[in-house]
Amino acid sequence: MRVVKLAKKDLAQAAKKLQAAYKVFAPVKERDFHNFRLLGEGKEPDFDFANTRLSAKHIVYPQSEKMMRASLDPSQEEHHIYKEEEKDYSPRAILGIRPCDAKAYDLVRLNFDTPEYKDPYWTKSYEALTRVGLACTSPCSTCFCTTAGTGPHDESGLDIMLVEEGESLFAKIITEKGEALAQKAGWSAEAPEDAASILEKAKQAAEGAVTAKIETDKITQKKTVEIYDSNIWDDLAFACINCGTCTYLCPTCWCFDIQDEVVNKQTIRIKSWDSCMFPLFTIHGTGHNPRPNKVSRVRQRFLHKLKYYPEKYGIGIHCVGCGRCITQCPVNIDIRRAAKVMNEFEPVEACKV
Amino acid sequence: MSGYTEKIRELAKKLLSEKTVDSVIGFREGSIPLIAEPCIAKTPEDVDKLVWNSFCGVNLANYLTKRTDRIAVVAKGCDSRNIVTHIIENQIKREQLVILGAPCTGMASRRKIAAAAGGEILSAVEQGETITVKGRDFEKSFAKADVLQDNCAICIHRNPVISDHMLGSPVPEQTGVDRYEDVRKVEAMDSEARWQYFEELISGCIRCYACRNACPLCYCPTCFVDESQPQWVGKTADPTDTRTFHFLRAFHCAGRCTDCGACERACPVGIKVRQFTKKLEKDCLELYGWEAGMDEKARPPLDVYKLSDPEEFIK
């Protein structure tokens, strides 16, 4: 695993150079925050950011995606026969993704890439992506990555990891994909001998700077029926307004809806983000809704993130501690509060199963 | 607004112990700076979590619709006007409510403070009309008046219009306020410029519906964007669908919106959502002399006709 060195100020230049070989996504300034956008006409990268407002989820998994279309015009040949939508899975690269957002792809992959079923849209998009991460030097006070199974210098979701060191960046090249990108970017200046120890020191410092935490170690031990039926949810859910902010901003949320839209004698099947917070999420064809109210939906969200997912996959919670749900929730619902209450939950004697 | 916290706790304790109400809706301390979390207290022992400060921007009237219990609720001027609107629209009965009126000198804008602070805010302390924020390597103080939410800066109804108890003495109402400077700017634009203006206004909308859900007026069992038989609006972030959502929602708020700012505060991508409803508010005022939520007994203009209505066809 080699480490190269480049100047911070050359990163934007490298982003431009890479556009010859990749579709490059980088943080772009929008209003008073940043978002990952495709670089090109009028979109310049800006790496002076803590984290993007939306996660990097939409690079692999767009908010809406056309799957297939059919002509409804009887005069057309092959009318009413679905044709797959043309897709472009040419190589793409994301520059400056934070380790938490990169790790999130791996958590989501467990859902979309299984031995039994593969979501072709998600998997092909993911496989075409080279991930150049930017390790965190100053974690935010709402970042709780270190207790969410990842960390400010976690390499596990990355092909290259960039670490700031004064006016320079060390680029740790982790995978073959990373090597290929480094070649194309012209990143060849070998880092000095002591790079490894500098990186280790930086990692320790960053991990030590993470102050927020989530307490979830006892949640999987709780009996599902007991915690589900308990009265802890009324208080946790009261403020919730059931919008989609937390789910849309979350890098690990994966739920989607499929809809057919008819426009001008064409029907197009589209896959879009959905949210368990929305009332329609679980509505049945009969009109019955098993999650008819806010409390049941909020309960489901936290049980899924902190209990069902860890129980199913055995690799920890369905959260990377990016903190977006905490900072952006319009009514200050805090997953750390919910986790603490769940972690400390003990059923009343009468309700024990 | 000092002393409100103690007054709220005192009243809440009394109302709950005497069983005058089943629950008290207010705020508790936020888990991060510059925001307070709406909460409900159901026992006298639970009232000590209730607080009041200039971060209590959420409109608590949003939590009242279709409730069947007896509730005490803390209400600022704008919130109280939404309560009046709820009563007029049969979403709650006056008898169910004990309104704890909070004369308000305005709510602080998280966004404005964050932009002015220039770094992550780790703590915020309010003292009188000053807000002091601390970051890793800075400390800044702001006069609250300089960092108010946009709607609070031009508010002309800071005192609750309906209440059962007041948490403090009435505050002086702002005078000489031009509420429609921004609307007139858009009215003066030609259609090309106006189109561009609205395109930029909506850009980046992710259709999370935080604006709609934070709004006390949006209580339809099935919102028009969620209707599927037939489907009126697509579920993607297609620009036409996004325009439809915002414009149509604004029209549904015409004559009802109190400019509480809940929509704008809730938006995770900083869209100035109030710009859609301000024009309609101006129209209702100029055409019908109407301000939403001022009087429980008054029928709204889109509900009723008067001989003085300006349209010719009614005469």
Side-chain angles (χ1 to χ4, degrees), chain B residues 52-67:
Chain B
W52 187 261
N53 52 44
S54 298
F55 313 125
C56 294
V58 176
N59 188 332
L60 295 180
N62 195 25
Y63 297 98
L64 297 179
T65 48
K66 308 213 176 56
R67 287 192 79 100

Side-chain angles (χ1 to χ4, degrees), chain A residues 215 218-219 221-233 236 303 307 338-349 351-353:
Chain A
E215 294 159 45
K218 302 202 274 292
I219 296 178
Q221 295 160 27
K222 314 290 175 190
K223 286 214 176 82
T224 302
V225 172
E226 284 172 359
I227 196 170
Y228 182 93
D229 281 334
S230 79
N231 62 3
I232 60 175
W233 306 107
L236 289 174
L303 283 173
K307 186 162 167 57
K340 192 168 180 359
V341 171
M342 291 164 77
N343 213 39
E344 292 171 2
F345 164 73
E346 285 303 330
V348 178
E349 203 51 52
C351 298
K352 283 205 172 132
V353 165

Side-chain angles (χ1 to χ4, degrees), chain A residues 36 49-52 54-60 93-110 122 126-127 129-136 145 148-162 174-175 177 249-253 309 315 318-322 324:
Chain A
F36 282 104
F49 76 118
N51 209 349
T52 50
L54 265 67
S55 73
K57 165 167 85 172
H58 65 99
I59 304 303
V60 168
I94 185 165
L95 294 189
I97 185 172
R98 294 295 184 185
C100 53
D101 284 347
K103 179 71 186 225
Y105 288 141
D106 293 343
L107 299 189
V108 171
R109 189 179 190 180
L110 293 176
W122 197 93
Y126 173 78
E127 277 154 18
L129 183 67
T130 302
R131 300 149 303 174
V132 180
L134 184 57
C136 302
C145 45
T150 176
H153 281 234
D154 182 7
E155 300 169 5
S156 63
L158 299 169
D159 297 298
I160 294 179
M161 187 167 75
L162 301 172
I174 302 161
T175 65
K177 258 186 180 167
L249 267 49
C250 175
T252 62
C253 277
Y309 180 98
I315 56 154
H318 194 35
C319 172
V320 291
C322 74
R324 288 181 178 94

Side-chain angles (χ1 to χ4, degrees), chain B residues 39 68-69 82 121 220 232 274 311 315:
Chain B
C39 69
T68 52
D69 52 348
N82 281 108
I121 291 166
C220 288
W232 300 115
R274 287 167 55 246
E311 284 75 25
K315 299 194 160 101

Side-chain angles (χ1 to χ4, degrees), chain A residues 30-33 35 37 53-54 63-65 137-143 209 211 234-246 248-249 257-261 270-275 277-281 283 285 294 326-337, chain B residues 25-26 28-33 35-40 42 46 49 58 60 62-63 67 110-111 115 120-122 136 200-214 221-222 225-228 231 233-238 241 265-272:
Chain A
E30 289 179 354
R31 290 208 176 93
D32 57 355
F33 46 83
N35 270 328
R37 297 292 178 207
R53 184 51 52 89
L54 265 67
Q63 181 163 7
S64 304
E65 187 164 9
T137 2
S138 319
C140 297
S141 65
T142 46
C143 293
T211 52
D234 289 324
D235 178 78
L236 289 174
F238 176 75
C240 181
I241 57 174
N242 274 167
C243 65
T245 298
C246 53
Y248 279 12
L249 267 49
D257 187 29
I258 296 180
Q259 289 236 311
D260 292 332
E261 287 194 8
I270 306 175
K271 180 172 172 253
S272 301
W273 292 353
D274 202 351
S275 171
M277 292 289 103
F278 293 153
L280 289 194
F281 186 71
I283 201 160
K294 152 169 92 176
I326 298 173
T327 58
Q328 298 309 314
C329 174
V331 293
N332 191 219
I333 301 265
D334 194 318
I335 192 172
R336 298 170 296 177
R337 179 204 284 273
Chain B
I25 296 176
R28 62 179 163 204
E29 210 65 67
S31 67
I32 55 174
I35 191 169
E37 184 192 352
C39 69
I40 193 165
K42 295 199 166 151
D46 212 12
K49 68 186 182 192
V58 176
L60 295 180
N62 195 25
Y63 297 98
R67 287 192 79 100
R110 243 196 326 169
R111 274 197 188 103
E120 198 203 354
I121 291 166
L122 300 177
R136 216 164 259 128
E200 272 164 41
L201 196 56
I202 309 180
S203 76
C205 175
I206 56 173
R207 302 276 289 288
C208 66
Y209 300 123
C211 51
R212 175 193 74 178
N213 290 22
T222 306
V225 295
D226 293 330
E227 276 296 354
S228 61
Q231 185 157 15
V233 183
K235 284 193 125 188
T236 71
D238 166 85
D241 287 323
R265 188 187 322 106
C267 179
V269 295
I271 292 174
K272 294 199 173 303

Side-chain angles (χ1 to χ4, degrees), chain B residues 260-290:
Chain B
C260 73
C263 50
E264 218 167 83
R265 188 187 322 106
C267 179
V269 295
I271 292 174
K272 294 199 173 303
V273 189
R274 287 167 55 246
Q275 297 306 310
F276 295 107
T277 40
K278 290 294 295 297
K279 163 67 175 166
L280 297 169
E281 180 197 302
K282 176 173 180 281
D283 282 352
C284 283
L285 184 62
E286 291 174 353
L287 294 174
Y288 307 113
W290 175 257

Side-chain angles (χ1 to χ4, degrees), chain B residues 3 5-6 27 30 45 74 84 93 95 153 156 192 208 226 233 247 253 255 257 268 275 281 296 306 309:
Chain B
T5 299
E6 290 70 36
F27 288 93
E45 296 72 44
V74 185
V84 167
K93 292 198 178 60
E95 308 83 80
I156 55 173
E192 188 67 44
C208 66
D226 293 330
V233 183
F247 290 128
C253 299
C257 172
Q275 297 306 310
E281 180 197 302
E296 290 163 73
K306 293 199 172 82
D309 282 344

